Amino acid sequence: MAERVAGILLAAGSGSRLGQPKALVELGGETLAQRGVAMLQDGGADPVILVTGAVPVTIPEALAVHNPDWSTGMGSSLATGLHALAETDAEAAVVALADQPLVGAEAVRRLIAAYAGGASVAVAAYDGKPRNPVLIARGHWPAVIELATGDAGARAFLRARPGLVTQVECGDTGSPDDVDTAEDLARVRGVATVRSEEKS
């Protein structure tokens, strides 16, 4: 049986620059939290942990876990998600961000395939630049939690152990554009609309 790979969606921020919590922002009839959970599930991650903070978010397909320290940054949310997964039989976790709605499920599938092929840390890259999502095997979770502070998330761990990292090119599957401001949201909505029209 294939080892289980879980998903963690970080959706705890207040969206101070955007003026509203990003998890609740709507795009194409779904909230960013719903899109992120669906992306992880469609890519093969199970179970999916949804890390909340500034506002409560419930999505039936995910296990919501509240991060009481969400205001300290993404690092505490990553640690919260990994702690929650420690209670499961998951052997690896794909970590994604709610505010990158143009990342596709294919990126998740490719990271899981890289893990099945022997990578213990795999990072989605776009035109050679490492971004998100990131897959981390269970054996590395304690070290990731230890180094996850502020807004760095897994970055400190990845920089400390570059030899472990397998980059997986995903530039043809989507885009890691962040939704940080109203301008970002308008641009991402435009791209998402074009994409849905191309598919239909």
Side-chain angles (χ1 to χ4, degrees), residues 4-79:
R4 179 175 285 203
V5 178
I8 298 175
L9 185 71
L10 305 184
S14 65
S16 54
R17 282 193 284 165
L18 189 60
Q20 60 179 313
K22 297 176 188 178
L24 303 181
V25 169
E26 291 216 354
L27 179 66
E30 291 180 304
T31 65
L32 295 192
Q34 286 171 319
R35 286 178 73 100
V37 167
M39 173 197 70
L40 285 164
Q41 287 191 315
D42 292 349
D46 176 52
V48 174
I49 302 282
L50 172 67
V51 183
T52 66
V55 287
V57 183
T58 30
I59 296 173
E61 298 80 12
L63 172 64
V65 179
H66 179 70
N67 171 21
D69 301 319
W70 64 267
S71 61
T72 63
M74 193 170 31
S76 63
S77 289
L78 175 58

Short mmCIF file of all heavy atoms in Angstrom, two decimals, residues 4-79:
data_model
loop_
_atom_site.label_atom_id
_atom_site.label_comp_id
_atom_site.label_asym_id
_atom_site.label_seq_id
_atom_site.Cartn_x
_atom_site.Cartn_y
_atom_site.Cartn_z
N ARG A 4 0.67 7.11 3.07
CA ARG A 4 -0.32 8.19 3.01
C ARG A 4 0.36 9.55 3.06
O ARG A 4 1.22 9.79 3.90
CB ARG A 4 -1.28 8.05 4.20
CG ARG A 4 -2.31 9.14 4.24
CD ARG A 4 -3.33 8.91 5.33
NE ARG A 4 -4.26 7.87 4.96
CZ ARG A 4 -5.47 7.76 5.50
NH1 ARG A 4 -5.88 8.61 6.40
NH2 ARG A 4 -6.27 6.79 5.14
N VAL A 5 -0.05 10.42 2.16
CA VAL A 5 0.45 11.80 2.13
C VAL A 5 -0.73 12.72 2.46
O VAL A 5 -1.75 12.70 1.76
CB VAL A 5 1.05 12.17 0.77
CG1 VAL A 5 1.52 13.63 0.77
CG2 VAL A 5 2.23 11.26 0.43
N ALA A 6 -0.58 13.49 3.51
CA ALA A 6 -1.64 14.41 3.94
C ALA A 6 -1.42 15.79 3.32
O ALA A 6 -0.39 16.05 2.70
CB ALA A 6 -1.66 14.51 5.46
N GLY A 7 -2.39 16.65 3.49
CA GLY A 7 -2.28 18.03 3.04
C GLY A 7 -2.48 18.99 4.20
O GLY A 7 -3.24 18.68 5.13
N ILE A 8 -1.79 20.11 4.15
CA ILE A 8 -1.99 21.18 5.14
C ILE A 8 -2.23 22.47 4.36
O ILE A 8 -1.39 22.86 3.54
CB ILE A 8 -0.77 21.37 6.06
CG1 ILE A 8 -0.50 20.10 6.88
CG2 ILE A 8 -0.97 22.57 6.99
CD1 ILE A 8 0.77 20.18 7.73
N LEU A 9 -3.36 23.11 4.60
CA LEU A 9 -3.63 24.40 3.97
C LEU A 9 -3.53 25.48 5.04
O LEU A 9 -4.27 25.45 6.03
CB LEU A 9 -5.02 24.44 3.33
CG LEU A 9 -5.29 25.74 2.55
CD1 LEU A 9 -4.47 25.79 1.26
CD2 LEU A 9 -6.78 25.89 2.23
N LEU A 10 -2.60 26.41 4.85
CA LEU A 10 -2.42 27.51 5.81
C LEU A 10 -3.36 28.64 5.43
O LEU A 10 -3.22 29.24 4.37
CB LEU A 10 -0.96 27.98 5.80
CG LEU A 10 0.09 26.88 6.06
CD1 LEU A 10 1.49 27.49 6.12
CD2 LEU A 10 -0.20 26.14 7.36
N ALA A 11 -4.36 28.90 6.30
CA ALA A 11 -5.40 29.88 6.00
C ALA A 11 -5.77 30.68 7.24
O ALA A 11 -6.94 30.94 7.51
CB ALA A 11 -6.64 29.15 5.46
N ALA A 12 -4.74 31.08 8.00
CA ALA A 12 -5.00 31.68 9.31
C ALA A 12 -4.91 33.20 9.33
O ALA A 12 -5.36 33.83 10.29
CB ALA A 12 -4.01 31.11 10.34
N GLY A 13 -4.33 33.82 8.31
CA GLY A 13 -4.04 35.25 8.37
C GLY A 13 -5.27 36.15 8.32
O GLY A 13 -6.35 35.74 7.89
N SER A 14 -5.09 37.39 8.75
CA SER A 14 -6.20 38.36 8.76
C SER A 14 -6.30 39.13 7.45
O SER A 14 -7.27 39.84 7.22
CB SER A 14 -6.01 39.36 9.91
OG SER A 14 -4.84 40.13 9.70
N GLY A 15 -5.27 39.00 6.58
CA GLY A 15 -5.29 39.72 5.31
C GLY A 15 -5.27 41.22 5.51
O GLY A 15 -6.05 41.95 4.88
N SER A 16 -4.37 41.70 6.37
CA SER A 16 -4.37 43.13 6.73
C SER A 16 -4.21 44.04 5.52
O SER A 16 -4.91 45.05 5.40
CB SER A 16 -3.26 43.41 7.76
OG SER A 16 -2.01 42.94 7.27
N ARG A 17 -3.35 43.67 4.57
CA ARG A 17 -3.16 44.51 3.38
C ARG A 17 -4.34 44.42 2.42
O ARG A 17 -4.62 45.34 1.67
CB ARG A 17 -1.87 44.12 2.65
CG ARG A 17 -0.62 44.65 3.32
CD ARG A 17 0.58 44.51 2.43
NE ARG A 17 1.05 43.13 2.38
CZ ARG A 17 1.91 42.67 1.45
NH1 ARG A 17 2.34 43.47 0.50
NH2 ARG A 17 2.30 41.42 1.47
N LEU A 18 -5.03 43.29 2.46
CA LEU A 18 -6.17 43.08 1.56
C LEU A 18 -7.45 43.69 2.14
O LEU A 18 -8.38 44.00 1.41
CB LEU A 18 -6.36 41.58 1.32
CG LEU A 18 -7.36 41.14 0.26
CD1 LEU A 18 -6.98 41.69 -1.10
CD2 LEU A 18 -7.43 39.61 0.22
N GLY A 19 -7.47 43.83 3.48
CA GLY A 19 -8.65 44.39 4.12
C GLY A 19 -9.68 43.36 4.52
O GLY A 19 -10.76 43.70 5.02
N GLN A 20 -9.36 42.06 4.33
CA GLN A 20 -10.26 40.98 4.76
C GLN A 20 -9.46 39.69 4.83
O GLN A 20 -8.45 39.54 4.14
CB GLN A 20 -11.42 40.82 3.78
CG GLN A 20 -11.00 40.47 2.37
CD GLN A 20 -12.17 40.28 1.43
OE1 GLN A 20 -13.13 39.59 1.75
NE2 GLN A 20 -12.11 40.91 0.26
N PRO A 21 -9.89 38.75 5.69
CA PRO A 21 -9.17 37.47 5.77
C PRO A 21 -9.19 36.75 4.42
O PRO A 21 -10.23 36.59 3.80
CB PRO A 21 -9.97 36.68 6.82
CG PRO A 21 -10.68 37.73 7.62
CD PRO A 21 -11.00 38.83 6.65
N LYS A 22 -8.01 36.33 3.98
CA LYS A 22 -7.90 35.73 2.64
C LYS A 22 -8.70 34.45 2.51
O LYS A 22 -9.21 34.13 1.44
CB LYS A 22 -6.43 35.47 2.32
CG LYS A 22 -5.58 36.73 2.26
CD LYS A 22 -4.13 36.37 2.04
CE LYS A 22 -3.22 37.57 2.17
NZ LYS A 22 -1.80 37.20 2.01
N ALA A 23 -8.81 33.69 3.60
CA ALA A 23 -9.51 32.41 3.53
C ALA A 23 -10.94 32.56 3.05
O ALA A 23 -11.50 31.66 2.43
CB ALA A 23 -9.51 31.74 4.91
N LEU A 24 -11.55 33.74 3.31
CA LEU A 24 -12.96 33.96 2.97
C LEU A 24 -13.16 34.69 1.65
O LEU A 24 -14.29 34.90 1.21
CB LEU A 24 -13.65 34.75 4.10
CG LEU A 24 -13.58 34.12 5.49
CD1 LEU A 24 -14.33 34.98 6.50
CD2 LEU A 24 -14.16 32.70 5.47
N VAL A 25 -12.07 35.10 1.00
CA VAL A 25 -12.18 35.80 -0.28
C VAL A 25 -12.75 34.85 -1.33
O VAL A 25 -12.35 33.69 -1.42
CB VAL A 25 -10.78 36.30 -0.73
CG1 VAL A 25 -10.80 36.78 -2.18
CG2 VAL A 25 -10.30 37.41 0.18
N GLU A 26 -13.70 35.33 -2.12
CA GLU A 26 -14.32 34.49 -3.14
C GLU A 26 -13.62 34.65 -4.49
O GLU A 26 -13.23 35.74 -4.88
CB GLU A 26 -15.80 34.82 -3.27
CG GLU A 26 -16.59 34.38 -2.07
CD GLU A 26 -17.99 33.88 -2.43
OE1 GLU A 26 -18.39 33.97 -3.59
OE2 GLU A 26 -18.67 33.39 -1.51
N LEU A 27 -13.48 33.53 -5.16
CA LEU A 27 -12.88 33.51 -6.50
C LEU A 27 -13.57 32.41 -7.28
O LEU A 27 -13.53 31.25 -6.90
CB LEU A 27 -11.37 33.23 -6.39
CG LEU A 27 -10.59 33.15 -7.71
CD1 LEU A 27 -10.57 34.50 -8.41
CD2 LEU A 27 -9.16 32.69 -7.44
N GLY A 28 -14.26 32.78 -8.34
CA GLY A 28 -14.96 31.79 -9.14
C GLY A 28 -16.02 31.02 -8.38
O GLY A 28 -16.22 29.82 -8.62
N GLY A 29 -16.69 31.69 -7.44
CA GLY A 29 -17.78 31.05 -6.71
C GLY A 29 -17.36 30.21 -5.52
O GLY A 29 -18.19 29.59 -4.86
N GLU A 30 -16.05 30.19 -5.23
CA GLU A 30 -15.55 29.45 -4.06
C GLU A 30 -14.65 30.37 -3.24
O GLU A 30 -14.04 31.28 -3.79
CB GLU A 30 -14.71 28.26 -4.49
CG GLU A 30 -15.44 27.13 -5.16
CD GLU A 30 -14.47 26.00 -5.52
OE1 GLU A 30 -13.48 26.27 -6.24
OE2 GLU A 30 -14.69 24.88 -5.07
N THR A 31 -14.56 30.10 -1.94
CA THR A 31 -13.60 30.86 -1.14
C THR A 31 -12.20 30.31 -1.41
O THR A 31 -12.04 29.18 -1.90
CB THR A 31 -13.89 30.73 0.36
OG1 THR A 31 -13.71 29.36 0.77
CG2 THR A 31 -15.31 31.21 0.70
N LEU A 32 -11.19 31.12 -1.09
CA LEU A 32 -9.81 30.66 -1.28
C LEU A 32 -9.52 29.42 -0.44
O LEU A 32 -8.76 28.54 -0.84
CB LEU A 32 -8.81 31.77 -0.95
CG LEU A 32 -8.85 33.01 -1.86
CD1 LEU A 32 -7.62 33.89 -1.60
CD2 LEU A 32 -8.92 32.65 -3.34
N ALA A 33 -10.15 29.35 0.74
CA ALA A 33 -9.96 28.15 1.59
C ALA A 33 -10.55 26.92 0.91
O ALA A 33 -9.92 25.85 0.89
CB ALA A 33 -10.60 28.36 2.96
N GLN A 34 -11.75 27.06 0.34
CA GLN A 34 -12.37 25.93 -0.37
C GLN A 34 -11.51 25.49 -1.56
O GLN A 34 -11.30 24.29 -1.79
CB GLN A 34 -13.77 26.31 -0.86
CG GLN A 34 -14.81 26.39 0.24
CD GLN A 34 -16.12 26.97 -0.25
OE1 GLN A 34 -16.13 27.94 -1.02
NE2 GLN A 34 -17.23 26.41 0.19
N ARG A 35 -11.01 26.47 -2.31
CA ARG A 35 -10.17 26.15 -3.48
C ARG A 35 -8.91 25.42 -3.06
O ARG A 35 -8.47 24.46 -3.72
CB ARG A 35 -9.79 27.43 -4.23
CG ARG A 35 -10.92 28.05 -5.02
CD ARG A 35 -10.45 29.34 -5.70
NE ARG A 35 -9.57 29.07 -6.82
CZ ARG A 35 -9.96 29.09 -8.11
NH1 ARG A 35 -11.20 29.37 -8.41
NH2 ARG A 35 -9.09 28.86 -9.07
N GLY A 36 -8.30 25.88 -1.98
CA GLY A 36 -7.05 25.26 -1.52
C GLY A 36 -7.25 23.83 -1.04
O GLY A 36 -6.45 22.94 -1.36
N VAL A 37 -8.33 23.61 -0.29
CA VAL A 37 -8.63 22.25 0.19
C VAL A 37 -8.90 21.34 -1.01
O VAL A 37 -8.39 20.22 -1.08
CB VAL A 37 -9.83 22.27 1.16
CG1 VAL A 37 -10.35 20.85 1.41
CG2 VAL A 37 -9.44 22.92 2.48
N ALA A 38 -9.70 21.82 -1.97
CA ALA A 38 -10.01 21.01 -3.16
C ALA A 38 -8.76 20.69 -3.96
O ALA A 38 -8.60 19.57 -4.46
CB ALA A 38 -11.03 21.75 -4.03
N MET A 39 -7.85 21.67 -4.07
CA MET A 39 -6.60 21.44 -4.81
C MET A 39 -5.79 20.33 -4.17
O MET A 39 -5.29 19.43 -4.86
CB MET A 39 -5.77 22.73 -4.85
CG MET A 39 -4.39 22.54 -5.46
SD MET A 39 -3.27 23.88 -5.07
CE MET A 39 -2.99 23.62 -3.32
N LEU A 40 -5.66 20.37 -2.85
CA LEU A 40 -4.88 19.34 -2.14
C LEU A 40 -5.54 17.97 -2.31
O LEU A 40 -4.86 16.98 -2.59
CB LEU A 40 -4.75 19.71 -0.66
CG LEU A 40 -3.75 20.83 -0.36
CD1 LEU A 40 -3.96 21.39 1.04
CD2 LEU A 40 -2.31 20.33 -0.52
N GLN A 41 -6.86 17.93 -2.16
CA GLN A 41 -7.56 16.64 -2.29
C GLN A 41 -7.48 16.11 -3.71
O GLN A 41 -7.20 14.93 -3.93
CB GLN A 41 -9.03 16.81 -1.89
CG GLN A 41 -9.19 16.96 -0.38
CD GLN A 41 -10.65 16.86 0.03
OE1 GLN A 41 -11.50 17.45 -0.61
NE2 GLN A 41 -10.91 16.13 1.08
N ASP A 42 -7.71 16.99 -4.70
CA ASP A 42 -7.65 16.56 -6.09
C ASP A 42 -6.25 16.08 -6.46
O ASP A 42 -6.09 15.23 -7.33
CB ASP A 42 -8.06 17.70 -7.03
CG ASP A 42 -9.53 18.07 -6.89
OD1 ASP A 42 -10.28 17.31 -6.23
OD2 ASP A 42 -9.93 19.12 -7.42
N GLY A 43 -5.25 16.63 -5.79
CA GLY A 43 -3.87 16.23 -6.05
C GLY A 43 -3.48 14.93 -5.36
O GLY A 43 -2.38 14.43 -5.58
N GLY A 44 -4.36 14.40 -4.49
CA GLY A 44 -4.08 13.12 -3.85
C GLY A 44 -3.75 13.17 -2.37
O GLY A 44 -3.40 12.15 -1.78
N ALA A 45 -3.85 14.35 -1.75
CA ALA A 45 -3.54 14.45 -0.32
C ALA A 45 -4.76 14.04 0.52
O ALA A 45 -5.88 14.44 0.23
CB ALA A 45 -3.13 15.88 0.04
N ASP A 46 -4.53 13.25 1.55
CA ASP A 46 -5.61 12.79 2.42
C ASP A 46 -5.01 12.31 3.74
O ASP A 46 -4.10 11.49 3.71
CB ASP A 46 -6.36 11.64 1.73
CG ASP A 46 -7.44 11.04 2.62
OD1 ASP A 46 -8.27 11.82 3.13
OD2 ASP A 46 -7.44 9.81 2.79
N PRO A 47 -5.47 12.81 4.88
CA PRO A 47 -6.49 13.85 5.06
C PRO A 47 -5.94 15.24 4.76
O PRO A 47 -4.73 15.39 4.55
CB PRO A 47 -6.84 13.71 6.55
CG PRO A 47 -5.54 13.29 7.18
CD PRO A 47 -4.90 12.36 6.16
N VAL A 48 -6.82 16.25 4.77
CA VAL A 48 -6.39 17.64 4.62
C VAL A 48 -6.69 18.38 5.91
O VAL A 48 -7.81 18.37 6.41
CB VAL A 48 -7.09 18.32 3.43
CG1 VAL A 48 -6.73 19.81 3.39
CG2 VAL A 48 -6.70 17.66 2.11
N ILE A 49 -5.65 19.02 6.44
CA ILE A 49 -5.76 19.85 7.65
C ILE A 49 -5.88 21.30 7.20
O ILE A 49 -5.05 21.79 6.43
CB ILE A 49 -4.52 19.70 8.55
CG1 ILE A 49 -4.29 18.24 8.95
CG2 ILE A 49 -4.61 20.61 9.77
CD1 ILE A 49 -5.16 17.70 10.02
N LEU A 50 -6.89 21.99 7.69
CA LEU A 50 -7.09 23.41 7.40
C LEU A 50 -6.73 24.19 8.65
O LEU A 50 -7.41 24.08 9.67
CB LEU A 50 -8.56 23.65 7.00
CG LEU A 50 -9.00 25.10 6.83
CD1 LEU A 50 -8.32 25.75 5.64
CD2 LEU A 50 -10.52 25.16 6.68
N VAL A 51 -5.65 24.96 8.59
CA VAL A 51 -5.21 25.72 9.76
C VAL A 51 -5.85 27.11 9.72
O VAL A 51 -5.61 27.89 8.80
CB VAL A 51 -3.67 25.85 9.82
CG1 VAL A 51 -3.25 26.59 11.10
CG2 VAL A 51 -3.02 24.47 9.79
N THR A 52 -6.68 27.39 10.73
CA THR A 52 -7.41 28.66 10.79
C THR A 52 -6.83 29.54 11.89
O THR A 52 -6.03 29.09 12.71
CB THR A 52 -8.90 28.42 11.07
OG1 THR A 52 -9.04 27.86 12.40
CG2 THR A 52 -9.50 27.44 10.07
N GLY A 53 -7.25 30.81 11.87
CA GLY A 53 -6.71 31.74 12.87
C GLY A 53 -7.59 32.94 13.08
O GLY A 53 -8.39 33.01 14.00
N ALA A 54 -7.45 33.93 12.18
CA ALA A 54 -8.15 35.22 12.36
C ALA A 54 -9.66 35.05 12.35
O ALA A 54 -10.37 35.76 13.08
CB ALA A 54 -7.72 36.18 11.24
N VAL A 55 -10.16 34.14 11.53
CA VAL A 55 -11.60 33.88 11.49
C VAL A 55 -11.84 32.37 11.46
O VAL A 55 -11.01 31.62 10.93
CB VAL A 55 -12.27 34.49 10.23
CG1 VAL A 55 -12.35 36.00 10.35
CG2 VAL A 55 -11.55 34.09 8.96
N PRO A 56 -12.96 31.91 12.03
CA PRO A 56 -13.26 30.48 11.94
C PRO A 56 -13.66 30.12 10.50
O PRO A 56 -14.37 30.87 9.85
CB PRO A 56 -14.43 30.29 12.91
CG PRO A 56 -15.03 31.65 13.08
CD PRO A 56 -13.95 32.65 12.82
N VAL A 57 -13.14 29.01 10.03
CA VAL A 57 -13.49 28.54 8.69
C VAL A 57 -13.80 27.05 8.81
O VAL A 57 -13.02 26.31 9.39
CB VAL A 57 -12.31 28.71 7.69
CG1 VAL A 57 -12.73 28.28 6.30
CG2 VAL A 57 -11.81 30.15 7.68
N THR A 58 -14.95 26.65 8.29
CA THR A 58 -15.26 25.22 8.29
C THR A 58 -15.53 24.77 6.87
O THR A 58 -16.30 25.39 6.15
CB THR A 58 -16.48 24.88 9.15
OG1 THR A 58 -17.38 25.98 9.17
CG2 THR A 58 -16.10 24.54 10.55
N ILE A 59 -14.87 23.70 6.48
CA ILE A 59 -15.06 23.07 5.18
C ILE A 59 -15.23 21.58 5.46
O ILE A 59 -14.36 20.97 6.08
CB ILE A 59 -13.85 23.33 4.26
CG1 ILE A 59 -13.73 24.83 3.99
CG2 ILE A 59 -13.99 22.56 2.95
CD1 ILE A 59 -12.50 25.23 3.24
N PRO A 60 -16.37 21.00 5.07
CA PRO A 60 -16.66 19.61 5.44
C PRO A 60 -15.56 18.63 5.07
O PRO A 60 -15.32 17.66 5.78
CB PRO A 60 -17.96 19.30 4.67
CG PRO A 60 -18.58 20.63 4.40
CD PRO A 60 -17.46 21.61 4.29
N GLU A 61 -14.86 18.90 3.95
CA GLU A 61 -13.85 17.95 3.47
C GLU A 61 -12.52 18.03 4.22
O GLU A 61 -11.64 17.22 3.97
CB GLU A 61 -13.58 18.19 1.97
CG GLU A 61 -14.79 18.01 1.08
CD GLU A 61 -15.73 19.21 1.06
OE1 GLU A 61 -15.36 20.29 1.57
OE2 GLU A 61 -16.85 19.05 0.55
N ALA A 62 -12.38 19.00 5.10
CA ALA A 62 -11.09 19.18 5.79
C ALA A 62 -11.28 19.18 7.30
O ALA A 62 -12.37 19.49 7.81
CB ALA A 62 -10.44 20.48 5.35
N LEU A 63 -10.21 18.88 8.00
CA LEU A 63 -10.20 18.96 9.47
C LEU A 63 -9.64 20.33 9.85
O LEU A 63 -8.46 20.60 9.61
CB LEU A 63 -9.33 17.84 10.05
CG LEU A 63 -9.08 17.90 11.55
CD1 LEU A 63 -10.38 17.73 12.33
CD2 LEU A 63 -8.07 16.85 11.98
N ALA A 64 -10.50 21.19 10.39
CA ALA A 64 -10.06 22.54 10.76
C ALA A 64 -9.36 22.50 12.12
O ALA A 64 -9.88 21.92 13.08
CB ALA A 64 -11.24 23.49 10.80
N VAL A 65 -8.19 23.11 12.18
CA VAL A 65 -7.42 23.20 13.42
C VAL A 65 -7.09 24.68 13.66
O VAL A 65 -6.54 25.33 12.77
CB VAL A 65 -6.11 22.38 13.33
CG1 VAL A 65 -5.32 22.49 14.61
CG2 VAL A 65 -6.41 20.92 13.02
N HIS A 66 -7.44 25.18 14.83
CA HIS A 66 -7.23 26.60 15.12
C HIS A 66 -5.81 26.84 15.65
O HIS A 66 -5.34 26.12 16.53
CB HIS A 66 -8.25 27.10 16.15
CG HIS A 66 -8.08 28.53 16.52
ND1 HIS A 66 -8.36 29.56 15.64
CD2 HIS A 66 -7.62 29.12 17.65
CE1 HIS A 66 -8.10 30.72 16.24
NE2 HIS A 66 -7.65 30.47 17.45
N ASN A 67 -5.15 27.86 15.10
CA ASN A 67 -3.83 28.28 15.60
C ASN A 67 -4.02 29.52 16.46
O ASN A 67 -4.22 30.62 15.94
CB ASN A 67 -2.90 28.59 14.43
CG ASN A 67 -1.61 29.25 14.90
OD1 ASN A 67 -1.23 29.13 16.06
ND2 ASN A 67 -0.93 29.94 14.00
N PRO A 68 -3.94 29.38 17.79
CA PRO A 68 -4.16 30.54 18.66
C PRO A 68 -3.09 31.62 18.49
O PRO A 68 -3.31 32.78 18.83
CB PRO A 68 -4.14 29.94 20.08
CG PRO A 68 -3.38 28.66 19.95
CD PRO A 68 -3.65 28.16 18.56
N ASP A 69 -1.93 31.23 17.95
CA ASP A 69 -0.82 32.19 17.79
C ASP A 69 -0.72 32.69 16.34
O ASP A 69 0.35 33.12 15.90
CB ASP A 69 0.51 31.53 18.18
CG ASP A 69 0.51 31.05 19.62
OD1 ASP A 69 0.00 31.78 20.48
OD2 ASP A 69 1.00 29.94 19.87
N TRP A 70 -1.83 32.64 15.59
CA TRP A 70 -1.79 32.96 14.15
C TRP A 70 -1.16 34.32 13.86
O TRP A 70 -0.52 34.50 12.83
CB TRP A 70 -3.20 32.89 13.56
CG TRP A 70 -4.15 33.91 14.11
CD1 TRP A 70 -4.99 33.75 15.17
CD2 TRP A 70 -4.33 35.25 13.66
NE1 TRP A 70 -5.69 34.90 15.41
CE2 TRP A 70 -5.30 35.85 14.50
CE3 TRP A 70 -3.77 36.02 12.64
CZ2 TRP A 70 -5.71 37.17 14.34
CZ3 TRP A 70 -4.18 37.33 12.48
CH2 TRP A 70 -5.15 37.90 13.33
N SER A 71 -1.34 35.28 14.79
CA SER A 71 -0.85 36.64 14.52
C SER A 71 0.67 36.72 14.51
O SER A 71 1.23 37.71 14.05
CB SER A 71 -1.42 37.62 15.54
OG SER A 71 -1.02 37.27 16.84
N THR A 72 1.37 35.68 15.00
CA THR A 72 2.84 35.70 14.99
C THR A 72 3.40 35.36 13.61
O THR A 72 4.58 35.50 13.37
CB THR A 72 3.42 34.70 16.01
OG1 THR A 72 3.03 33.37 15.64
CG2 THR A 72 2.94 35.00 17.42
N GLY A 73 2.54 34.88 12.70
CA GLY A 73 3.01 34.59 11.34
C GLY A 73 2.78 33.15 10.93
O GLY A 73 2.29 32.32 11.70
N MET A 74 3.18 32.87 9.70
CA MET A 74 2.91 31.58 9.09
C MET A 74 3.61 30.42 9.79
O MET A 74 3.12 29.28 9.77
CB MET A 74 3.39 31.64 7.63
CG MET A 74 2.91 30.51 6.78
SD MET A 74 3.23 30.76 5.02
CE MET A 74 4.72 31.71 4.93
N GLY A 75 4.74 30.67 10.41
CA GLY A 75 5.50 29.60 11.06
C GLY A 75 4.68 28.86 12.10
O GLY A 75 4.68 27.62 12.14
N SER A 76 3.94 29.60 12.93
CA SER A 76 3.15 28.95 13.98
C SER A 76 2.00 28.14 13.37
O SER A 76 1.61 27.11 13.90
CB SER A 76 2.61 29.99 14.97
OG SER A 76 1.73 30.90 14.33
N SER A 77 1.48 28.60 12.23
CA SER A 77 0.41 27.84 11.57
C SER A 77 0.94 26.54 10.99
O SER A 77 0.28 25.49 11.06
CB SER A 77 -0.23 28.68 10.46
OG SER A 77 -0.99 29.74 11.00
N LEU A 78 2.13 26.59 10.42
CA LEU A 78 2.75 25.37 9.90
C LEU A 78 2.98 24.38 11.04
O LEU A 78 2.67 23.18 10.91
CB LEU A 78 4.08 25.71 9.22
CG LEU A 78 4.91 24.53 8.72
CD1 LEU A 78 4.13 23.67 7.72
CD2 LEU A 78 6.21 25.02 8.09
N ALA A 79 3.49 24.86 12.16
CA ALA A 79 3.72 23.99 13.32
C ALA A 79 2.41 23.40 13.83
O ALA A 79 2.33 22.21 14.16
CB ALA A 79 4.42 24.78 14.43
#
